[in-house]
Amino acid sequence: MFFDTLQQQTEEARAHLLRAPVLAAIPEGRFNLDSYRYFLGQAYHHVKHTVPLMMACGSRLPARLEWIREALVEYIQDEYGHQEWILNDLQATGADAEAIRHGRPDLPIELMVSWLYDIIQRGNPVSFFGMVHVLEGTSIALATPLGEQVQKSLHLPKEAFSYLYSHGALDQEHFRFFTKLMNGITDTVDQQAVIHASRVVYRLYAEMLHQIPITAPGQLQQESRHEQPA
């Protein structure tokens, strides 16, 4: 089945993402408030494009893929407005949510979003599902467990984690739907388009994760010593 092939063909790119230092920093307590705000800010700037990208994909699909266009209608209904959840989370951390709304992402996310719009328009529109493969698969593996660790270490209210907690559970259902959708793609040109897009998005999303500011191990030890009573 194509989904298994997709997983196999993107294994190296996925491994690069999982080597992002932030993933080791979280259980070690080196993920700080600035780290979380940075992650949410970058998430806002790609999540706000999810529905427009789905619409762009749907508008470009050929008639032979009408069944995928039908599936996109359901995706759009489920994903609409999620960027506002992220701004609410940011506000709950004390960040200036409106400044982030009107700001710009760092280069990896800007390039990721721009590339997706471009490949949908000039290439194969099913390339969009490379983003779905990366982001929903990553959410299932990381969102809920890492969210719980971050909430505990940063002592933030649950209201600051609606994006992470909802997507950990929601994306499990989405990913089952996505798996079935991918297994319906039998054209080799379409399959290669999804594989290539997945690799590109894995690389760019991983670069964002690699850029998340974290506390260095030595700095954490120094802070711990300073906090100890004389």
Side-chain angles (χ1 to χ4, degrees):
M1 303 294 274
F2 174 56
F3 178 77
D4 294 332
T5 302
L6 177 60
Q7 288 286 83
Q8 294 164 5
Q9 293 293 314
T10 57
E11 184 175 359
E12 183 178 346
R14 185 162 52 254
H16 174 67
L17 182 149
L18 294 174
R19 287 194 293 269
V22 66
L23 299 181
I26 291 173
E28 294 172 3
R30 296 187 292 109
F31 187 88
N32 55 46
L33 187 58
D34 288 338
S35 310
Y36 188 47
R37 287 172 174 169
Y38 179 87
F39 169 77
L40 288 178
Q42 298 305 302
Y44 169 78
H45 286 293
H46 69 76
V47 170
K48 72 180 181 181
H49 289 283
T50 301
V51 169
L53 283 167
M54 285 191 281
M55 290 177 169
C57 173
S59 72
R60 295 280 295 166
L61 288 171
R64 65 182 176 83
L65 296 177
E66 184 64 32
W67 58 277
I68 293 182
R69 190 167 14 244
E70 181 182 4
L72 282 169
V73 173
E74 182 175 339
Y75 264 120
I76 289 169
Q77 291 176 336
D78 285 346
E79 294 293 332
Y80 187 80
H82 287 192
Q83 71 272 16
E84 295 299 322
W85 299 0
I86 300 174
L87 293 180
N88 291 338
D89 290 349
L90 281 160
Q91 190 168 359
T93 72
D96 186 344
E98 287 306 303
I100 292 165
R101 183 196 297 274
H102 298 292
R104 299 186 67 146
D106 278 354
L107 192 57
I109 295 302
E110 185 159 15
L111 288 176
M112 185 182 86
V113 171
S114 298
W115 185 85
L116 285 163
Y117 278 115
D118 183 63
I119 200 65
I120 288 170
Q121 292 300 318
R122 69 175 175 83
N124 191 322
V126 301
S127 300
F128 164 76
F129 291 99
M131 183 187 80
V132 180
H133 178 229
V134 174
L135 297 184
E136 293 195 352
T138 303
S139 292
I140 289 172
L142 303 175
T144 299
L146 292 185
E148 291 171 350
Q149 291 183 38
V150 170
Q151 183 182 6
K152 183 178 179 180
S153 63
L154 297 183
H155 308 290
L156 290 171
K158 190 175 181 179
E159 291 75 18
F161 293 88
S162 60
Y163 172 65
L164 280 182
Y165 287 163
S166 65
H167 279 70
L170 180 63
D171 285 344
Q172 290 186 31
E173 180 181 344
H174 280 183
F175 209 66
R176 286 191 292 268
F177 183 65
F178 172 75
T179 301
K180 183 178 179 181
L181 198 66
M182 291 300 96
N183 284 335
I185 296 178
T186 57
D187 184 271
T188 55
V189 173
D190 294 338
Q191 290 177 348
Q192 288 304 310
V194 177
I195 290 170
H196 176 62
S198 293
R199 288 171 175 163
V200 171
V201 174
Y202 262 126
R203 177 64 59 169
L204 292 171
Y205 191 71
E207 290 308 308
M208 182 277 288
L209 293 180
H210 278 72
Q211 289 184 190
I212 294 178
I214 54 176
T215 304
Q219 183 180 350
L220 188 65
Q221 294 171 1
Q222 290 176 0
E223 291 173 357
S224 179
R225 284 198 296 270
H226 290 159
E227 290 172 2
Q228 291 178 359

